[in-house]
Amino acid sequence: MPTIIFTVTNDLNYDQRMHRIAGSLSAAGYRVLLVGRHRKGSLPLVEKSFSQKRLRCVFSAGLLFYAEFNLRLFFFLLFRKADVVCAIDLDTILPVYFTTLIKNQKRVYDAHELFTEQKEVLTRRLIHAIWLAIERFAVPRFRNGYTVNNFIAGELTRRYGVGYAVVRNLPRLSVLPVIKEKKEKWILYQGSVNEGRCFETLIPAMKDVDAKLVVCGEGNFFEQARALTKKLGLEQKIEFRGYVLPGDLAKLTPTAHIGLTLFEQEGMNQYQSLANRFFDYTMAGVPQVCVNYPEYAAINDQYHIMYPVNSTDPDTLARAMNNLMADDVFYEELRLNCLKARTILNWETEEKKLLGFYKLL
């Protein structure tokens, strides 16, 4: 079977989407190598059914990091045998393009999001110009690819004439733990603590919510979120756990009472998102407060698994969380709908699209 190399800029241990993709292809008989980076404080790699490699860098953030990592990745790929190399998002696309061009290998682009439409990119004129130039140069040269929802696939077609498949970020079907009774009602946010994820309004909203918020994840807004929590005197109500290994997170999520899927409305990447946490809560049988944006609304219209909010201001978020905790009848209806939806919205169903894509390739 062919060898496939996937390239990312994270430290691999927490990338659930890539674990699923690489695991499915490995189970189907492909030789798979997932390449990422070693960060300061990275835990040892969790053993998987596929091979993993982390590149060490001197720089850890900013343009110098991206330049160094791309250079190291270029030379790594240049001397590695592979039949297909897949770039995950724009931050690894250039070394994949140039090495596959030199070596006459097949290349694939996996767009987890609209990279150039992220808030942290859009709000910096020079950074946005650089990434947009990379996107305009590289994406048209990747004729084979897939992404996480129909809107992004359509937008990439509109911009660059590529026809990408859609492989959604669905979790594996899991066995739910037996939870006799939840001792306390607490709220979970899992995922990147980044700009555009509404922490500026979520944290103040918690002043008016009689429950604890647990945040699992880190990102470019992590320190600001902790500072705002301290400023508002909410350290006893909001707990930041940082990165949590996927296996541990899978055990923790079903014990939460409510999940949160929040994005700012400004910015195409946020407004047209379809985050994996949205499906993770559903898989765990946990109702969620979720922004009522197009991709989420379309799924909710079909399965009725969330409490939709049309604004992310503090009052609206506090009212939504309080209402969902207080209305036991509505909560139970959403919970039962989650249990039904999880039998359909799972990786075992979605991976057939992935395997079909690589079989045709």
Side-chain angles (χ1 to χ4, degrees):
M1 294 292 285
T3 296
I4 307 173
I5 297 178
F6 294 97
T7 61
V8 298
T9 57
N10 61 59
D11 93 335
L12 306 185
N13 272 337
Y14 309 97
D15 196 332
Q16 297 188 65
R17 174 173 169 86
M18 291 315 304
H19 291 173
R20 288 189 287 266
I21 288 174
S24 291
L25 290 167
S26 176
Y30 293 89
R31 293 183 293 272
V32 178
L33 171 62
L34 179 57
V35 182
R37 67 150 157 166
H38 189 280
R39 305 175 61 122
K40 183 179 179 180
S42 286
L43 298 175
L45 282 169
V46 177
E47 188 173 344
K48 298 291 181 180
S49 61
F50 48 87
S51 300
Q52 302 175 85
K53 171 68 178 179
R54 292 195 292 208
L55 306 179
R56 291 181 179 269
C57 292
V58 175
F59 300 100
S60 60
L63 285 175
L64 288 176
F65 160 70
Y66 286 112
E68 180 189 11
F69 183 82
N70 272 253
L71 190 61
R72 290 180 182 274
L73 182 59
F74 172 82
F75 284 107
F76 177 84
L77 294 175
L78 194 60
F79 298 102
R80 278 277 176 164
K81 292 182 179 180
D83 299 284
V84 181
V85 186
C86 178
I88 311 302
D89 288 325
L90 287 184
D91 45 5
T92 66
I93 202 169
L94 289 181
V96 171
Y97 170 68
F98 286 115
T99 56
T100 55
L101 182 66
I102 292 169
K103 300 170 70 176
N104 194 30
Q105 296 167 320
K106 291 183 178 179
R107 54 183 170 268
V108 173
Y109 182 43
D110 179 350
H112 284 193
E113 57 193 341
L114 281 171
F115 198 92
T116 56
E117 301 296 328
Q118 298 177 87
K119 181 180 179 181
E120 56 266 39
V121 174
L122 278 173
T123 53
R124 303 174 196 174
R125 184 173 297 180
L126 177 60
I127 299 299
H128 181 249
I130 292 171
W131 285 118
L132 189 58
I134 291 172
E135 181 183 88
R136 288 171 173 169
F137 169 80
V139 174
R141 291 169 168 81
F142 281 69
R143 307 310 299 178
N144 298 301
Y146 46 91
T147 185
V148 296
N149 67 41
N150 290 320
F151 177 83
I152 296 178
E155 182 65 15
L156 292 176
T157 298
R158 185 187 69 80
R159 291 185 184 187
Y160 306 113
V162 293
Y164 286 177
V166 174
V167 181
R168 293 177 297 176
N169 255 337
L170 303 186
R172 290 192 176 278
L173 189 60
S174 59
V175 177
L176 289 177
V178 177
I179 303 172
K180 294 181 180 180
E181 185 178 354
K182 296 178 181 177
K183 295 182 180 179
E184 62 175 321
K185 295 180 179 180
W186 61 276
I187 301 163
L188 173 65
Y189 173 92
Q190 62 178 69
S192 298
V193 184
N194 282 349
E195 294 180 42
R197 265 63 169 182
C198 300
F199 285 96
E200 301 95 324
T201 55
L202 171 62
I203 292 171
M206 291 305 299
K207 291 188 295 183
D208 300 316
V209 178
D210 187 21
K212 183 177 182 179
L213 169 64
V214 176
V215 179
C216 295
E218 291 188 23
N220 58 37
F221 200 74
F222 187 73
E223 293 305 325
Q224 295 95 316
R226 293 210 304 179
L228 180 57
T229 299
K230 185 175 181 180
K231 179 181 178 181
L232 297 177
L234 296 172
E235 297 99 321
Q236 300 304 312
K237 188 175 279 190
I238 303 176
E239 178 184 350
F240 291 90
R241 294 196 180 181
Y243 289 119
V244 178
L245 289 171
D248 296 331
L249 192 59
K251 297 174 184 176
L252 176 69
T253 303
T255 66
H257 192 70
I258 297 174
L260 297 175
T261 299
L262 303 174
F263 292 92
E264 292 180 8
Q265 186 166 347
E266 291 75 19
M268 189 185 301
N269 190 61
Q270 287 82 244
Y271 187 66
Q272 298 292 352
S273 66
L274 188 58
N276 57 339
R277 72 184 69 95
F278 176 77
F279 297 110
D280 288 340
Y281 298 138
T282 302
M283 179 58 64
V286 176
Q288 62 186 291
V289 172
C290 179
V291 286
N292 198 33
Y293 300 162
E295 296 290 337
Y296 304 109
I299 293 175
N300 193 55
D301 286 344
Q302 186 173 0
Y303 298 103
H304 307 290
I305 52 178
M306 74 188 204
Y307 187 113
V309 290
N310 294 311
S311 170
T312 57
D313 65 79
D315 289 342
T316 300
L317 293 181
R319 185 164 54 251
M321 289 184 279
N322 285 329
N323 288 346
L324 189 52
M325 285 190 294
D327 192 337
D328 292 338
V329 174
F330 181 52
Y331 180 89
E332 183 63 12
E333 178 185 332
L334 292 183
R335 190 186 71 84
L336 293 176
N337 288 341
C338 286
L339 297 179
K340 295 175 184 176
R342 73 193 294 274
T343 64
I344 302 169
L345 299 175
N346 58 64
W347 183 246
E348 283 73 6
T349 299
E350 198 73 6
E351 72 174 348
K352 296 173 184 177
K353 300 176 185 177
L354 177 80
L355 298 177
F357 173 89
Y358 279 99
K359 184 176 181 180
L360 287 175
L361 188 65

